[in-house]
């Protein structure tokens, strides 16, 4: 498993990872493109020794120092996943990042509200 993780990390860092997006991630990506907000996808944060922390965030908006996660309604409703999400948020915040989460439902059904939130952040940076 560690060898597979190292291979994936290497591919992500070298820009050779073929990323597949979920439908909500595609909708969100299209909103970022429409709003002309620069972003990176599958943004890997990794540090520490043992235990080593690493997490791949869905989007990183570098101009805002903002990590964005698009939470699938099924997986992110599980208590173990929510606990991991909270740990990842805490660690990223301790490292100076801001975090924003959108649910699959919000992205699919109210993208205008999502875009308004993003515009507000851009205006207040």
């Amino acid at each position: 498993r560690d060898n597979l993780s190292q291979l994936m990390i290497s591919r992500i860092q070298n820009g050779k990872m073929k990323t597949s997006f979920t439908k909500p991630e595609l909708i969100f990506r299209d909103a970022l493109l429409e709003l002309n907000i620069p972003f990176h996808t599958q943004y890997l944060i990794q540090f520490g020794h043992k235990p080593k922390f690493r997490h791949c965030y869905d989007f990183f908006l570098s101009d805002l120092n903002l990590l964005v996660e698009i939470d699938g309604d099924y997986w992110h409703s599980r208590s173990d996943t929510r606990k991991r999400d909270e740990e990842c948020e805490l660690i990223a915040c301790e490292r100076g990042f801001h975090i924003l989460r959108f649910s699959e439902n919000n992205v699919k059904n109210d993208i205008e509200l999502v875009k308004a939130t993003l515009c507000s952040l851009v205006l207040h940076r």
Side-chain angles (χ1 to χ4, degrees):
R1 180 177 168 131
D2 279 341
N3 288 340
L4 179 60
S5 295
Q6 284 304 115
L7 179 62
M8 288 180 68
I9 289 166
S10 174
R11 287 180 178 170
I12 290 167
Q13 289 172 336
N14 294 323
K16 294 180 181 177
M17 181 76 169
K18 291 186 179 182
T19 57
S20 57
F21 294 98
T22 64
K23 184 172 183 172
E25 289 169 347
L26 286 171
I27 294 168
F28 186 80
R29 183 202 63 188
D30 290 347
L32 291 172
L33 291 169
E34 180 183 327
L35 297 170
N36 201 28
I37 297 174
F39 64 92
H40 303 276
T41 60
Q42 300 303 305
Y43 190 77
L44 178 68
I45 293 181
Q46 169 178 284
F47 54 85
H49 297 291
K50 292 188 179 187
K52 187 177 239 181
F53 173 83
R54 64 179 154 218
H55 183 72
C56 210
Y57 292 85
D58 295 327
F59 295 90
F60 176 56
L61 285 54
S62 55
D63 289 355
L64 302 171
N65 195 38
L66 180 67
L67 297 166
V68 179
E69 290 279 67
I70 309 300
D71 293 340
D73 292 339
Y74 173 76
W75 287 109
H76 292 272
S77 66
R78 297 168 40 115
S79 62
D80 59 330
T81 305
R82 282 196 314 268
K83 184 176 186 229
R84 172 78 173 145
D85 289 344
E86 289 170 8
E87 291 170 0
C88 290
E89 276 191 40
L90 179 64
I91 291 169
C93 287
E94 288 172 349
R95 297 285 187 236
F97 292 95
H98 302 286
I99 309 286
L100 187 59
R101 304 188 88 85
F102 291 106
S103 71
E104 173 184 356
N105 186 50
N106 288 131
V107 172
K108 284 175 145 180
N109 298 318
D110 202 355
I111 193 62
E112 293 307 316
L113 178 61
V114 170
K115 289 194 287 189
T117 302
L118 292 169
C119 287
S120 174
L121 292 170
V122 168
L123 290 174
H124 292 99
R125 66 175 155 156

